[in-house]
Amino acid sequence: MRIRDWLGGAFVAGAMLAAPQAAMAWSNQGHMVTGAIAYDDLAKADPALAARIETLMASHPDKARFERGLAGYAGEARTRRLFELMARWPDDVREGPYDHPAWHYWLRLIPSKADPIKAPPALLATTTGEAAEAYRLNLATVRDAYAPAAERAVALCWVFHLAGDIQQPLHAGHLISGRFPLSDQAGGKAFVRPQAGADGVNLHQYWDDAIGGDAEGDANVEAVRLRLEGAWSRPDLNELDGKAGPDAFHAWADESLELARTVVYSDGAFEGAANAASAQPPPAGYEASRRRVGERRIALGGHRIADAVRAAFAP
């Protein structure tokens, strides 16, 4: 057990520098499934909203990218695919003019119990990242009927993406420990071996791939969409209350933080290795928990995107 004492000011500065600079949430496939579930939710209950989104997206400044992704699709399949591409778009434009790296997460620290470190209480109460403010800003932009259509279309893609991102536990909480005194950077600096003999991967990627990696072909996304909609329909998800405003986003983040604490880090008893070479397989039962939690959170993300659309276009 390693316990280290740090001077408060230096520790806080170092922890802020350790904020994840390129944190992803869910694989391409994961984000696309959230978009597909959102489309199915709206098509069933509010089909006029899906049509309004198509109209608005015709003004998107990155329209050519969407048109390439929609080539060969028609009718309902085309609209669903549009939703899928919207949900992943903020990841597709990384390092470009529409990129906002700090918008993807809203992190709070989770102290390790197995490998503790003494940290100032004020530090443990801080948040890192701008996802909550970004959601509020983009939701307001979509709601603003006087805003340029191009700006509203960009903002709507961010609303899609953020409502999905925050369901990933490692976009709401990360570990601070003796091994990771400046945090494990949302799992980006901690490594796990998915199974014996496999290469080590960082913990964040391991959770991003909870329902599969970046196999973004139509057959892959469709198979997962159908499986998750069968396993986690809207009535099965008792967390859903139809609310999708800024306060609701905070509640979604609180849910993910609790899952990061209890499942990802096993109540502070689990942490990844400091490098890929020394990574070990997770404890017994961990993989099944990752899969179960990941599937449920992605299903929730899809329905919460639909609720966010309802909130954005409400009279």
Side-chain angles (χ1 to χ4, degrees):
M1 181 179 295
R2 299 183 296 278
I3 302 177
R4 306 175 187 177
D5 294 294
W6 290 75
L7 293 175
F11 193 98
V12 171
M16 297 308 291
L17 288 173
Q21 297 301 306
M24 307 288 278
W26 308 131
S27 60
N28 286 341
Q29 179 171 282
H31 271 300
M32 293 172 80
V33 170
T34 66
I37 292 173
Y39 169 76
D40 289 343
D41 184 317
L42 290 174
K44 179 179 180 180
D46 299 281
L49 289 180
R52 291 183 68 179
I53 288 172
E54 282 194 287
T55 300
L56 181 61
M57 286 298 293
S59 299
H60 198 290
D62 202 13
K63 180 180 177 181
R65 184 191 302 269
F66 288 98
E67 291 298 328
R68 289 193 298 271
L70 294 169
Y73 290 86
E76 182 183 60
R78 186 183 190 279
T79 310
R80 184 184 291 113
R81 191 66 166 183
L82 173 63
F83 276 50
E84 294 169 5
L85 296 174
M86 290 172 66
R88 61 172 281 185
W89 180 78
D91 280 343
D92 290 338
V93 295
R94 294 273 186 168
E95 301 183 1
Y98 299 104
D99 187 20
H100 300 278
W103 282 12
H104 295 264
Y105 52 89
W106 198 58
L107 293 158
R108 285 164 282 183
L109 289 165
I110 298 170
S112 171
K113 293 180 180 178
D115 183 21
I117 183 172
K118 290 184 178 178
L123 174 63
L124 299 177
T126 62
T127 60
T128 302
E130 301 169 3
E133 178 63 17
Y135 183 79
R136 184 200 64 77
L137 171 66
N138 284 285
L139 190 63
T141 300
V142 179
R143 284 172 165 166
D144 184 359
Y146 295 99
E151 292 183 10
R152 294 179 73 206
V154 168
L156 186 57
C157 290
W158 272 105
V159 167
F160 271 48
H161 191 79
L162 292 166
D165 258 357
I166 201 61
Q167 312 306 323
Q168 213 273 47
L170 286 171
H171 274 239
H174 57 171
L175 191 74
I176 182 171
S177 70
R179 179 177 294 166
F180 302 108
L182 302 181
S183 87
D184 69 356
Q185 295 191 31
K189 292 296 185 181
F191 292 84
V192 64
R193 202 173 299 276
Q195 57 196 27
D199 293 335
V201 299
N202 71 61
L203 189 64
H204 196 102
Q205 179 185 339
Y206 179 63
W207 273 87
D208 277 355
D209 294 346
I211 66 162
D214 287 331
E216 59 198 62
D218 187 61
N220 300 87
V221 174
E222 278 292 281
V224 177
R225 172 184 74 86
L226 292 170
R227 178 165 59 82
L228 295 196
E229 287 182 337
W232 302 108
S233 67
R234 191 173 182 104
D236 295 320
L237 299 167
N238 55 15
E239 298 95 327
L240 292 171
D241 56 10
K243 297 178 181 178
D247 289 343
F249 189 89
H250 284 79
W252 303 344
D254 287 344
E255 291 174 6
S256 287
L257 174 64
E258 183 62 16
L259 289 169
R261 178 182 295 111
T262 59
V263 181
V264 176
Y265 297 113
S266 302
D267 289 314
F270 173 74
E271 65 180 344
N275 56 68
S278 57
Q280 297 295 321
Y286 190 97
E287 166 59 23
S289 295
R290 179 191 72 129
R291 175 73 62 170
R292 183 182 66 256
V293 169
E295 289 185 351
R296 186 184 182 95
R297 296 304 286 177
I298 284 176
L300 275 167
H303 292 294
R304 282 171 167 166
I305 290 171
D307 288 339
V309 168
R310 294 183 179 100
F313 289 98

